[in-house]
Amino acid sequence: MDAILSLLTDPAAWAALITLIAMEVVLGIDNLIFISILSNKLPEGQRQKARRLGITLALVMRLALLSTLAWLVHLTEPIFSLGESVGALDLTFSWRDLILIAGGLFLLWKATKEIHGAVDPKPADFLDKTGIVATNFGAVIFQIILIDMVFSIDSILTAVGMTDHLPIMVTAVIITVIVMLLAADPLANFINNNPSVVMLALGFLLMIGMILVADGFGVHIPKGYIYAAMAFSVGVEALNIIARNAKTKKESQAGH
């Protein structure tokens, strides 16, 4: 209790908390986009339930990882090597690297399949067979759990790198998940009501997948560049939506 009280009166602790919350919210956006796209494939009555369950599972995973910090730190220790580094590629891998690579490949596969389904009204047979489970609630939750695990590990390792105080990490994680819960329905509805935004979000997932794979191979791309590119793309798409709405309004007025 004394340790917590000392943190409450420590300006450095508050600064670390605010910084960590901001970082965790930004990292949580990636997770939320994936959950939104997957949940929108379900029947109307199951979408909100899937989103809330997915985000709750993300909270549980993050808190569980925080309770095993000693074990989590060992995830960054090398377990095998394929030889010397090749340029920027690090061929020595830890469990964290393998998890990031697997998660990145999963995102690349999922986003590519969704884009293929969006541009081709008659998907190939192999996509039909794998796409059958897309509207199954259990299958959607399973996919959300997989990607929750990847983003949770990335999130907690980021938190560990920013502060040594467990109460600050737990507080930041809980606040971040509350923000995700509040933003989940509006974001999912916005994506569902704007088809062009769906394609943009899938493009983000492709980019995030590539970044996770690159990170697993030791190629670290500054997060600032990534989110600046995403913000610019969102800004351009916002202008497109405004332009389309203005055109539709003008045409409806001309019709009267």
Side-chain angles (χ1 to χ4, degrees):
M1 181 61 70
D2 291 339
I4 294 176
L5 290 176
S6 66
L7 286 176
L8 289 174
T9 57
D10 185 0
W14 282 99
L17 175 62
I18 293 170
T19 304
L20 187 53
I21 289 172
M23 181 65 71
E24 293 292 324
V25 167
V26 171
L27 291 173
I29 290 172
D30 303 340
N31 204 167
L32 200 53
I33 290 173
F34 184 82
I35 292 174
S36 298
I37 290 176
L38 273 184
S39 64
N40 282 344
K41 296 180 71 65
L42 290 168
E44 185 78 33
Q46 295 182 339
R47 293 176 183 177
Q48 187 180 72
K49 180 181 177 182
R51 287 192 288 268
R52 292 185 176 177
L53 181 57
I55 295 170
T56 302
L57 289 171
L59 172 62
V60 171
M61 285 188 188
R62 283 162 167 79
L63 293 179
L65 287 171
L66 282 174
S67 68
T68 57
L69 280 181
W71 169 81
L72 189 65
V73 171
H74 290 298
L75 288 180
T76 60
E77 295 179 356
I79 54 174
F80 71 91
S81 176
L82 296 179
E84 296 182 2
S85 299
V86 179
L89 296 180
D90 185 357
L91 299 181
T92 299
F93 300 95
S94 64
W95 281 113
R96 173 186 177 273
D97 296 330
L98 296 179
I99 291 169
L100 290 181
I101 292 171
L105 291 175
F106 174 71
L107 276 182
L108 289 172
W109 167 77
K110 187 63 182 176
T112 301
K113 191 167 82 72
E114 294 295 331
I115 291 172
H116 188 284
V119 300
D120 186 356
K122 283 189 169 182
D125 290 340
F126 77 93
L127 283 177
D128 279 336
K129 292 174 184 175
T130 58
I132 291 174
V133 298
T135 54
N136 180 278
F137 185 84
V140 167
I141 294 301
F142 177 71
Q143 293 177 67
I144 289 175
I145 289 172
L146 289 179
I147 212 62
D148 273 350
M149 181 180 69
V150 176
F151 284 121
S152 293
I153 289 175
D154 198 25
S155 168
I156 298 307
L157 287 175
T158 298
V160 171
M162 293 183 67
T163 180
D164 296 325
H165 301 293
L166 185 60
I168 292 178
M169 294 185 224
V170 172
T171 303
V173 166
I174 292 174
I175 291 175
T176 300
V177 172
I178 291 173
V179 171
M180 289 172 66
L181 278 170
L182 294 174
D185 289 342
L187 177 63
N189 292 334
F190 181 74
I191 289 175
N192 191 51
N193 295 331
N194 294 274
S196 60
V197 174
V198 175
M199 194 59 69
L200 179 64
L202 290 171
F204 286 163
L205 290 183
L206 279 175
M207 182 174 67
I208 294 163
M210 286 297 298
I211 290 165
L212 289 176
V213 172
D215 200 356
F217 279 96
V219 180
H220 305 294
I221 303 171
K223 291 289 196 298
Y225 294 143
I226 299 164
Y227 292 114
M230 291 175 68
F232 178 78
S233 300
V234 169
V236 172
E237 184 58 32
L239 291 175
N240 282 329
I241 292 173
I242 292 171
R244 283 197 298 269
N245 290 341
K247 183 179 180 182
T248 301
K249 184 177 180 180
K250 185 176 180 180
E251 289 174 349
S252 64
Q253 289 175 346
H256 292 298

